[in-house]
């Protein structure tokens, strides 16, 4: 493949995915297509911006004419689709933004792929003999499409969808559209659904970077409800490596769950963060625990998510490369070394700069 578009490449996960693809595919042009919303930041890719096989194209997936311009310029062989509105709390206050970007934006991309690619009629539900895989639409999704678990059990690739928030419903709709284009038109596709990511470049509205930022600044650490909500956490670089490996090796028509085999209740996670950060900041043990503040619960809050990533491990041999404690330590170190990044994204400085740069 000569040209691969990665959408949402300026965001948290997308920037790590772009780096992984640029470094491992020197003969392929990696096109980072991103609208640079509040969550997109080209500063995340400073270290690779001059690589000969990397280009950035500012385009909004909700605007078909902007996508068409990029498709005509590069005639892409594959699309790795991460661009999305991604924050559940924002989806509760502004669901339409999520429907526009996550549902309509995905449909716009699929329509252009359908138009630009010669789709193969020789398929069963988007599965093709390997030698006929010329193109690929790889859709990145979330485990939140599966809804909430009780105290036991895991999400499998075969678990029925039961999304509970406007965010997860919009992602579920986009997953369905991708499979429908595979089944109906013979679009070669792969979908992967991942658990919560953490790591460098995470926008500080999400739990871990918010708490890191607030522990540094001795501000309250907001925890929903009783703090017993349980999530599986995966280091973002391990997710990016999984995406690259799936892109290269998985059969079309497949779905993979990606997770860290690493469940934490929010309250325990925040206490682990406090333990590591108080030590690094040379504060007395437990010093920052006074910052923990329980806040009113989010409506429709899912109790527990837990991913079973056995299929990915069995089929492709993938497993996380770091333990949670190691990944968290790397993440904290990154935020402590990049306080300026944190200040600039929190103040909106980068967004102001890029809106002038690309206007
Ligand atoms: P993010 O919010 O950090 O980044 C999203 C990126 O998409 C940003 O760069 C933004 O500028 C871009 N974008 C938004 N709207 C756009 C539009 N209309 N046109 C073009 N670009 C647009 O999100 P993230 O956390 O990196 O998540 C990336 C993907 O991974 C999403 O599809 C999300 O659903 C999925 N996912 C995230 C997690 C997680 O824990 N963060 C877990 C599983 C799956």
């Amino acid at each position: 493949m000569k040209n691969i578009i990665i959408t949402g490449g300026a965001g948290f996960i997308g920037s790590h995915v772009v780096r992984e693809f640029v470094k491992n595919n020197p003969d392929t042009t990696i096109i980072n297509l991103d609208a640079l919303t509040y969550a997109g930041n080209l500063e995340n890719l400073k270290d690779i911006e001059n690589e000969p096989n990397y280009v950035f194209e500012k385009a909004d997936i909700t605007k078909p004419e902007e996508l068409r311009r990029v498709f005509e310029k590069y005639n892409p062989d594959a699309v790795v689709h991460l661009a999305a509105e991604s924050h559940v709390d924002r989806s509760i206050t502004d669901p339409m933004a999520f429907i526009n970007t996550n549902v309509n934006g995905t449909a716009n991309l699929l329509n252009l792929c359908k138009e630009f690619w010669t789709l193969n009629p020789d398929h069963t539900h988007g599965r093709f003999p390997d030698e006929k895989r010329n193109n690929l639409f790889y859709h990145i999704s979330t485990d939140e499409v599966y809804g909430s678990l009780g105290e036991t059990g895991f999400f499998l690739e075969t678990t029925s969808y039961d999304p509970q928030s406007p965010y997860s419903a919009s992602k579920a709709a986009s997953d369905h559209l991708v499979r429908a284009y595979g089944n109906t038109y013979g679009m070669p596709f792969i979908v992967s659904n991942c658990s919560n990511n953490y790591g460098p470049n995470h926008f500080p509205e999400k739990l871990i970077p918010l708490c890191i930022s607030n522990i540094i600044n001795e501000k309250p650490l907001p925890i929903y409800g009783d703090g017993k909500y349980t999530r599986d956490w995966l280091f973002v670089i391990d997710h990016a490596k999984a995406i690259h490996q799936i892109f290269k090796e998985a059969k079309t028509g497949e779905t993979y769950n990606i997770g860290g085999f690493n469940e934490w209740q929010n309250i325990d996670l925040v206490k682990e963060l406090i333990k590591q950060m108080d030590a690094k900041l040379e504060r007395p043990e437990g010093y920052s625990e006074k910052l923990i503040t329980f806040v009113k619960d989010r409506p429709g809050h899912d109790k527990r998510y837990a991913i079973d990533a056995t299929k990915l491990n069995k089929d492709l041999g993938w497993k996380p490369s770091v333990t949670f404690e190691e990944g968290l330590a790397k993440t904290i170190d990154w935020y402590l070394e990049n306080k300026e990044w944190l200040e600039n994204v929190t103040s909106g400085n980068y967004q102001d700069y890029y809106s002038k740069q690309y206007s």
Side-chain angles (χ1 to χ4, degrees), residues 3-4 13 30 71 98 126 129 137 189 193 229 238 261-262 267-268 270 272 274 295 331-332:
N3 291 327
I4 301 175
I13 302 173
I30 306 300
F71 270 66
F98 285 68
F137 191 96
F189 73 91
N193 299 80
Y229 290 100
D238 281 330
F261 299 99
N262 174 43
I267 184 70
D268 295 335
V270 171
E272 174 65 27
I274 288 173
V295 297
T331 306
I332 294 167

Side-chain angles (χ1 to χ4, degrees), residues 7-15 33-41 59-63 67 81-87 100-102 105 139-144 167 171 192-198 201-203 205-206 233 236 239:
T7 72
F12 166 48
I13 302 173
S15 57
L33 184 160
D34 199 295
L36 298 182
T37 69
Y38 80 95
N41 183 357
D60 185 336
I61 61 167
T62 67
K63 299 188 174 140
L67 290 181
H81 177 36
L82 293 102
E85 288 291 342
S86 70
H87 189 42
N100 283 336
T101 296
N102 300 358
H139 181 62
I140 310 303
S141 192
T142 165
D143 62 351
E144 301 193 26
Y167 165 65
K171 289 298 291 186
S192 61
N193 299 80
C194 188
S195 57
N196 279 24
N197 286 216
Y198 69 96
N201 302 123
H202 206 180
F203 195 82
E205 63 185 354
K206 309 270 170 78
W233 291 91
V236 66
H239 188 195

Side-chain angles (χ1 to χ4, degrees), residues 210-211 214-215 217-223 290-293 295:
L210 178 71
C211 287
N214 287 5
I215 291 171
N217 298 310
E218 299 200 39
K219 286 188 178 164
L221 307 176
I223 300 194
K290 62 181 185 209
L291 302 173
I292 292 177
T293 311
V295 297

Side-chain angles (χ1 to χ4, degrees), residues 84-148:
E85 288 291 342
S86 70
H87 189 42
V88 178
D89 288 347
R90 287 178 187 255
S91 83
I92 294 167
T93 49
D94 185 10
M96 284 316 291
F98 285 68
I99 292 161
N100 283 336
T101 296
N102 300 358
V103 186
N104 296 343
T106 302
N108 290 335
L109 275 168
L110 286 166
N111 285 335
L112 276 157
C113 291
K114 178 167 158 289
E115 184 185 323
F116 275 71
W117 295 344
T118 307
L119 297 183
N120 200 324
D122 185 17
H123 74 99
T124 319
H125 300 301
R127 290 189 174 79
F128 302 89
D130 272 353
E131 69 275 13
K132 294 200 175 161
R133 177 179 145 173
N134 297 323
N135 303 109
L136 180 63
F137 191 96
Y138 181 3
H139 181 62
I140 310 303
S141 192
T142 165
D143 62 351
E144 301 193 26
V145 298
Y146 298 123
S148 187

Side-chain angles (χ1 to χ4, degrees), residues 1 4 21 78 80 133 136 243-249:
M1 289 187 176
I4 301 175
F21 274 68
V80 181
R133 177 179 145 173
L136 180 63
I243 289 172
H244 186 253
Q245 189 176 0
I246 290 170
F247 180 89
K248 289 276 179 186
E249 297 173 20

